[in-house]
Amino acid sequence: MHSAVFLIEFGAIILGLGLLGRVAGRLKFSPIPLYLLAGLAFGNGGLLPLGASEEFVAIGAEIGVILLLLMLGLEYTASDLVSNLKTQYPAGLVDFGLNAVPGAVAALLMGWGPVAAVVLAGVTWISSSGVIAKVMGDLGRLGNRETPVILSILVLEDLAMAVYLPIVTALLAGVSLAAGSLTLAIALGVAGAVLFVAVRYGRVISRFVSSDDPEKLLLVVLGLTLLVAGVAQQLQVSAAVGAFLVGIALSGEVAEGTHTLLSPLRDLFAAVFFVFFGLHTDPASIPPVILPALALALVTACTKVATGHWAARRAGVGVKGRWRAGGTLVARGEFSIVIAGLAVTAGIEPALGPLATAYVLILVIVGPLTARYTEPLAVYLTGRRVRPGPLLASVPSPAKSPEGVSEAVPEQNQDPAGRA
């Protein structure tokens, strides 16, 4: 009987997630807020609390985080990461200063203490790589001049997680300064060792994993990822970071084949992860924190726009591209939920989970809108217009972006200072 109830509950969850994904696709926005709302509906205090399948959902959620980070790591090579660290680290520092500080200050103003401040700083700091990648693809901006700047900031944030997550884990566990320093040293050592192996021996690892049989490739990569993630967690390093580093180590055809094979699994278990976070948040706890969440969302949306604008200007991108870069970075999502989930599990601050849920819900909805409309709104408000030169004025217009703005003309009519 228990087995039958489990199958009914879990089947209903998966079916419901599929239908919600269709609704989000029709409305052309991220399904993450709908998944979170579904979790709220099925959790404690919701419309229909789960019973039999909650333990399996918890395991599925952990696998979802691991697959999210693995797939993100597959997007980059070790050499790309090293290059980004060397050239774009100032943008990473500005990103941290402008976006982590508001979260820390908000937690301290609410009297939550230093540990909660560190956690909330991470929630407001990290943009959603998954949501942003989807938005850029939907808007046809993957070939734009500002896109490498956006990706560099996302990569730096992902790398920073290799340091940040072990620190948060140690703080939430309440370990001593010496034990926490040891944990961080182990984390940095493991991350550094994996990066070194990825740079020097990435091709060897890829050849070892490679297989013409999709079944064998899937089993080997998935097994290797779960194994490394488990070892990493045993060493007090985040399992998610371990999975991310495995993704970095794989390259070439292996990475492409793995991406194709694991994408459906990632989407399934990632959806389960967002539902799981919602399950552990009482809907009645959200209204008391909605105003702080709105205020924090407004402040950090503006600071993300400023971050992207500054980084794109530093890279020599034109005025319109700067605003597009800033607006694109606003969305928060999976990493913010991962960080808040650690605090919720540790029971540090009861209001932190609801605040993070409301905050992510707001910005995951607003993010695609700011990506689309920040640039035209900024151009309208500042009164700046891109005027074609005499030669270009007589040439037929190139292909238009989804906003109807020519991508080639603005960049060719800038002076060295980057002004249109």
Side-chain angles (χ1 to χ4, degrees):
M1 186 64 183
H2 182 275
S3 176
V5 174
F6 162 75
L7 291 175
I8 292 171
E9 286 187 355
F10 193 66
I13 291 173
I14 300 302
L15 176 60
L17 293 178
L19 296 176
L20 290 176
R22 285 189 177 184
V23 171
R26 292 282 180 87
L27 299 176
K28 295 184 177 180
F29 71 90
S30 169
I32 292 175
L34 298 183
Y35 296 158
L36 288 172
L37 290 174
L40 292 173
F42 289 113
N44 295 327
L47 300 176
L48 187 62
L50 294 178
S53 62
E54 187 170 354
E55 184 176 351
F56 184 83
V57 170
I59 297 172
E62 190 166 357
I63 295 174
V65 176
I66 290 171
L67 291 180
L68 274 171
L69 273 294
L70 168 66
M71 300 296 281
L72 192 59
L74 291 172
E75 299 292 334
Y76 313 111
T77 65
S79 58
D80 289 338
L81 293 177
V82 173
S83 175
N84 281 321
L85 280 175
K86 290 180 179 178
T87 60
Q88 297 294 341
Y89 71 89
L93 294 175
V94 170
D95 180 36
F96 172 77
L98 289 181
N99 298 288
V101 171
V105 171
L108 294 175
L109 289 177
M110 289 185 286
W112 289 357
V115 175
V118 174
V119 173
L120 193 56
V123 171
T124 59
W125 172 21
I126 305 298
S127 296
S128 171
S129 300
V131 173
I132 290 172
K134 187 176 190 306
V135 167
M136 288 194 298
D138 291 343
L139 296 179
R141 295 180 179 174
L142 294 177
N144 282 17
R145 282 197 62 191
E146 73 274 5
T147 298
V149 175
I150 296 170
L151 294 178
S152 294
I153 292 174
L154 295 178
V155 170
L156 287 167
E157 288 180 349
D158 298 336
L159 281 177
M161 287 295 96
V163 178
Y164 174 82
L165 288 177
I167 293 175
V168 169
T169 303
L171 290 174
L172 293 175
V175 300
S176 64
L177 179 60
S181 300
L182 178 61
T183 299
L184 179 58
I186 293 173
L188 291 176
V190 171
V194 173
L195 280 175
F196 174 78
V197 171
V199 172
R200 294 292 299 272
Y201 305 106
R203 293 183 180 178
V204 176
I205 296 173
S206 296
R207 282 199 298 269
F208 170 75
V209 173
S210 179
S211 174
D212 294 332
D213 187 339
E215 179 184 351
K216 294 185 179 70
L217 179 62
L218 173 65
L219 291 174
V220 171
V221 172
L222 184 58
L224 177 64
T225 303
L226 294 175
L227 177 63
V228 172
V231 172
Q233 189 158 312
Q234 194 70 21
L235 294 173
Q236 302 301 312
V237 182
S238 168
V241 172
F244 177 68
L245 295 174
V246 170
I248 292 172
L250 301 178
S251 61
E253 294 181 0
V254 173
E256 295 176 7
T258 301
H259 194 282
T260 302
L261 290 171
L262 286 179
S263 288
L265 280 178
R266 176 209 49 194
D267 295 338
L268 168 63
F269 286 107
V272 171
F273 164 71
F274 291 117
V275 170
F276 177 74
F277 185 82
L279 287 175
H280 286 73
T281 303
D282 187 347
S285 65
I286 291 182
V289 299
I290 193 65
L291 289 180
L294 281 169
L296 198 56
L298 177 61
V299 170
T300 54
C302 293
T303 54
K304 275 292 182 183
V305 172
T307 298
H309 189 283
W310 182 88
R313 181 177 182 179
R314 178 175 176 270
V317 177
V319 174
K320 289 189 173 184
R322 298 172 196 172
W323 289 113
R324 286 195 296 266
T328 303
L329 286 169
V330 167
R332 310 303 202 275
E334 59 275 5
F335 255 133
S336 297
I337 297 298
V338 169
I339 295 166
L342 294 174
V344 170
T345 303
I348 294 300
E349 174 55 51
L352 183 56
L355 177 65
T357 302
Y359 174 80
V360 171
L361 278 171
I362 294 167
L363 289 185
V364 83
I365 295 172
V366 171
L369 299 178
T370 59
R372 183 183 292 269
Y373 297 113
T374 296
E375 174 244 315
L377 180 61
V379 171
Y380 174 77
L381 293 177
T382 58
R384 296 187 176 186
R385 296 293 184 270
V386 177
R387 293 183 292 274
L391 177 62
L392 291 174
S394 62
V395 178
S397 298
K400 302 289 184 179
S401 69
E403 294 80 18
V405 179
S406 171
E407 296 297 335
V409 174
E411 303 300 342
Q412 294 179 23
N413 284 281
Q414 293 171 4
D415 61 22
R419 295 183 292 270

